[in-house]
Amino acid sequence: MTELKILHDAVVAGNMEAMTSLTRKCLDAGYKPGQIINEALIPAMDVVGNKFRENEIFVPEVLISAKCMQTSLDILQPLLTEGEVAKAGKVVIGTVKGDLHDIGKNLVAIMLEGAGFEVIDLGVDVDAQQFINKVKEVKPDFVCLSSLLTTTMPQMGVTIEALHEAGLRQQVKVMVGGAPVTREFAEQIGADIYAPDAGAAVEAAKQAMAKLRQ
Ligand code: B1M
């Protein structure tokens, strides 16, 4: 088995203790930092995402694998040369105004990062103006809105409407999700993408990027 495959499997298994030494072994074997990220870490998080979607593993396991990936990234990122890793796309994410739930949103952010997206996380209780300011500043491909409360779901529609009014709606794809959010609701408020879980969010973002790049 190659060093890359061993590192890949350690991320999937959530083997935290081994991450530092396995990452260094990959470097010692001559693999470039970008190659380690693209050929071991990101595919490993793909496997984790699929297992999560199939209910083979649950939130704690995903978080441990994400932590493994981060441990490895902490070693590799300072060694990356400019342009070595092409970003899959850019995402601005947040839990909408009035809502403080962030576990699901964090999971979506982690999984998107694991899939190679650049993620700008605005946190919780994010109002429409904050999303607009960040869209103007960083020009993302996606605005991702999370809501866990039936009382805050309408804020997703408010944010989409505000993006329209600011003339920014055509520049971004809006993805929505969170336990009470349904596909019907997403369509009603004019979102582009509905994702029921973090794995689906990654798949949908990848597909949308592939279309954008055609
Ligand atoms: Co809150 N809470 N809570 N809570 N809480 C719920 C959501 C609730 C269903 C509990 C209940 O009554 N059974 C209920 C909502 C009822 C409703 O709206 N109809 C509720 C309530 C009422 C409240 C308060 C109002 C309680 C009170 O104070 N009276 C209050 C509101 C505070 C506020 O936000 N303003 C409140 C507070 C809290 C805590 C702070 C204590 C805590 C949050 C801690 C935190 O997030 N840091 C909390 C928690 C933990 C929950 C429950 C128990 C768990 C939520 C969670 O983290 N799930 C929840 C009940 C439950 O769900 N069993 C509940 C795990 C997480 C991985 O799943 O967030 O669904 P989830 O994310 C999934 C998908 O939904 C999806 O992917 C994720 C991973 O697969 N997803 C996206 C999420 N965002 C996405 C975005 C996407 C795509 C997919 O694209 C952009």
PDB file of all heavy atoms in Angstrom, residues 146-160:
ATOM      1  N   SER A 146     -28.332  28.223   6.240  1.00  0.00           N
ATOM      2  CA  SER A 146     -28.817  27.149   7.108  1.00  0.00           C
ATOM      3  C   SER A 146     -29.830  27.703   8.102  1.00  0.00           C
ATOM      4  O   SER A 146     -29.685  28.834   8.581  1.00  0.00           O
ATOM      5  CB  SER A 146     -27.633  26.534   7.869  1.00  0.00           C
ATOM      6  OG  SER A 146     -28.074  25.509   8.735  1.00  0.00           O
ATOM      7  N   SER A 147     -30.871  26.909   8.362  1.00  0.00           N
ATOM      8  CA  SER A 147     -31.866  27.301   9.364  1.00  0.00           C
ATOM      9  C   SER A 147     -32.409  26.054  10.048  1.00  0.00           C
ATOM     10  O   SER A 147     -32.693  25.049   9.385  1.00  0.00           O
ATOM     11  CB  SER A 147     -33.011  28.059   8.683  1.00  0.00           C
ATOM     12  OG  SER A 147     -34.139  28.057   9.511  1.00  0.00           O
ATOM     13  N   LEU A 148     -32.543  26.116  11.360  1.00  0.00           N
ATOM     14  CA  LEU A 148     -33.038  24.963  12.126  1.00  0.00           C
ATOM     15  C   LEU A 148     -34.400  25.237  12.753  1.00  0.00           C
ATOM     16  O   LEU A 148     -34.989  24.361  13.375  1.00  0.00           O
ATOM     17  CB  LEU A 148     -32.025  24.588  13.225  1.00  0.00           C
ATOM     18  CG  LEU A 148     -31.080  23.421  12.967  1.00  0.00           C
ATOM     19  CD1 LEU A 148     -31.785  22.093  13.054  1.00  0.00           C
ATOM     20  CD2 LEU A 148     -30.421  23.542  11.605  1.00  0.00           C
ATOM     21  N   LEU A 149     -34.871  26.462  12.636  1.00  0.00           N
ATOM     22  CA  LEU A 149     -36.132  26.829  13.299  1.00  0.00           C
ATOM     23  C   LEU A 149     -37.182  27.202  12.256  1.00  0.00           C
ATOM     24  O   LEU A 149     -36.859  27.898  11.283  1.00  0.00           O
ATOM     25  CB  LEU A 149     -35.913  28.032  14.228  1.00  0.00           C
ATOM     26  CG  LEU A 149     -34.950  27.846  15.401  1.00  0.00           C
ATOM     27  CD1 LEU A 149     -34.669  29.179  16.086  1.00  0.00           C
ATOM     28  CD2 LEU A 149     -35.513  26.848  16.411  1.00  0.00           C
ATOM     29  N   THR A 150     -38.409  26.774  12.492  1.00  0.00           N
ATOM     30  CA  THR A 150     -39.478  27.170  11.561  1.00  0.00           C
ATOM     31  C   THR A 150     -39.642  28.701  11.581  1.00  0.00           C
ATOM     32  O   THR A 150     -40.008  29.284  10.578  1.00  0.00           O
ATOM     33  CB  THR A 150     -40.806  26.488  11.947  1.00  0.00           C
ATOM     34  OG1 THR A 150     -40.965  26.565  13.356  1.00  0.00           O
ATOM     35  CG2 THR A 150     -40.830  25.041  11.530  1.00  0.00           C
ATOM     36  N   THR A 151     -39.326  29.300  12.725  1.00  0.00           N
ATOM     37  CA  THR A 151     -39.480  30.761  12.831  1.00  0.00           C
ATOM     38  C   THR A 151     -38.402  31.534  12.066  1.00  0.00           C
ATOM     39  O   THR A 151     -38.581  32.707  11.757  1.00  0.00           O
ATOM     40  CB  THR A 151     -39.420  31.209  14.317  1.00  0.00           C
ATOM     41  OG1 THR A 151     -38.285  30.604  14.917  1.00  0.00           O
ATOM     42  CG2 THR A 151     -40.678  30.816  15.058  1.00  0.00           C
ATOM     43  N   THR A 152     -37.255  30.886  11.791  1.00  0.00           N
ATOM     44  CA  THR A 152     -36.189  31.605  11.071  1.00  0.00           C
ATOM     45  C   THR A 152     -36.103  31.216   9.590  1.00  0.00           C
ATOM     46  O   THR A 152     -35.402  31.887   8.826  1.00  0.00           O
ATOM     47  CB  THR A 152     -34.805  31.392  11.733  1.00  0.00           C
ATOM     48  OG1 THR A 152     -34.513  29.995  11.777  1.00  0.00           O
ATOM     49  CG2 THR A 152     -34.774  31.973  13.119  1.00  0.00           C
ATOM     50  N   MET A 153     -36.827  30.167   9.198  1.00  0.00           N
ATOM     51  CA  MET A 153     -36.818  29.772   7.774  1.00  0.00           C
ATOM     52  C   MET A 153     -37.138  30.943   6.840  1.00  0.00           C
ATOM     53  O   MET A 153     -36.484  31.098   5.805  1.00  0.00           O
ATOM     54  CB  MET A 153     -37.814  28.644   7.537  1.00  0.00           C
ATOM     55  CG  MET A 153     -37.297  27.277   7.911  1.00  0.00           C
ATOM     56  SD  MET A 153     -38.622  26.083   7.974  1.00  0.00           S
ATOM     57  CE  MET A 153     -39.197  26.024   6.295  1.00  0.00           C
ATOM     58  N   PRO A 154     -38.146  31.786   7.177  1.00  0.00           N
ATOM     59  CA  PRO A 154     -38.449  32.897   6.255  1.00  0.00           C
ATOM     60  C   PRO A 154     -37.263  33.831   6.008  1.00  0.00           C
ATOM     61  O   PRO A 154     -37.195  34.492   4.978  1.00  0.00           O
ATOM     62  CB  PRO A 154     -39.585  33.647   6.986  1.00  0.00           C
ATOM     63  CG  PRO A 154     -40.201  32.613   7.873  1.00  0.00           C
ATOM     64  CD  PRO A 154     -39.086  31.724   8.300  1.00  0.00           C
ATOM     65  N   GLN A 155     -36.303  33.860   6.951  1.00  0.00           N
ATOM     66  CA  GLN A 155     -35.114  34.701   6.752  1.00  0.00           C
ATOM     67  C   GLN A 155     -34.312  34.280   5.521  1.00  0.00           C
ATOM     68  O   GLN A 155     -33.579  35.071   4.940  1.00  0.00           O
ATOM     69  CB  GLN A 155     -34.208  34.639   7.986  1.00  0.00           C
ATOM     70  CG  GLN A 155     -34.602  35.599   9.079  1.00  0.00           C
ATOM     71  CD  GLN A 155     -34.579  37.056   8.613  1.00  0.00           C
ATOM     72  OE1 GLN A 155     -33.697  37.479   7.882  1.00  0.00           O
ATOM     73  NE2 GLN A 155     -35.582  37.815   9.024  1.00  0.00           N
ATOM     74  N   MET A 156     -34.463  33.004   5.148  1.00  0.00           N
ATOM     75  CA  MET A 156     -33.772  32.555   3.926  1.00  0.00           C
ATOM     76  C   MET A 156     -34.349  33.294   2.723  1.00  0.00           C
ATOM     77  O   MET A 156     -33.605  33.772   1.864  1.00  0.00           O
ATOM     78  CB  MET A 156     -33.954  31.046   3.748  1.00  0.00           C
ATOM     79  CG  MET A 156     -33.301  30.241   4.842  1.00  0.00           C
ATOM     80  SD  MET A 156     -33.643  28.489   4.595  1.00  0.00           S
ATOM     81  CE  MET A 156     -32.146  27.787   5.232  1.00  0.00           C
ATOM     82  N   GLY A 157     -35.676  33.374   2.676  1.00  0.00           N
ATOM     83  CA  GLY A 157     -36.339  34.098   1.589  1.00  0.00           C
ATOM     84  C   GLY A 157     -35.976  35.574   1.618  1.00  0.00           C
ATOM     85  O   GLY A 157     -35.719  36.179   0.571  1.00  0.00           O
ATOM     86  N   VAL A 158     -35.922  36.135   2.821  1.00  0.00           N
ATOM     87  CA  VAL A 158     -35.557  37.551   2.973  1.00  0.00           C
ATOM     88  C   VAL A 158     -34.159  37.784   2.395  1.00  0.00           C
ATOM     89  O   VAL A 158     -33.909  38.757   1.684  1.00  0.00           O
ATOM     90  CB  VAL A 158     -35.613  37.965   4.469  1.00  0.00           C
ATOM     91  CG1 VAL A 158     -35.001  39.341   4.692  1.00  0.00           C
ATOM     92  CG2 VAL A 158     -37.049  37.916   4.981  1.00  0.00           C
ATOM     93  N   THR A 159     -33.244  36.864   2.687  1.00  0.00           N
ATOM     94  CA  THR A 159     -31.855  37.006   2.214  1.00  0.00           C
ATOM     95  C   THR A 159     -31.795  36.904   0.688  1.00  0.00           C
ATOM     96  O   THR A 159     -31.103  37.694   0.029  1.00  0.00           O
ATOM     97  CB  THR A 159     -30.955  35.922   2.864  1.00  0.00           C
ATOM     98  OG1 THR A 159     -31.096  36.020   4.280  1.00  0.00           O
ATOM     99  CG2 THR A 159     -29.499  36.103   2.482  1.00  0.00           C
ATOM    100  N   ILE A 160     -32.551  35.963   0.128  1.00  0.00           N
ATOM    101  CA  ILE A 160     -32.552  35.813  -1.341  1.00  0.00           C
ATOM    102  C   ILE A 160     -33.113  37.082  -1.987  1.00  0.00           C
ATOM    103  O   ILE A 160     -32.565  37.606  -2.961  1.00  0.00           O
ATOM    104  CB  ILE A 160     -33.364  34.563  -1.759  1.00  0.00           C
ATOM    105  CG1 ILE A 160     -32.614  33.298  -1.313  1.00  0.00           C
ATOM    106  CG2 ILE A 160     -33.613  34.550  -3.267  1.00  0.00           C
ATOM    107  CD1 ILE A 160     -33.362  31.999  -1.541  1.00  0.00           C
TER     108      ILE A 160
END
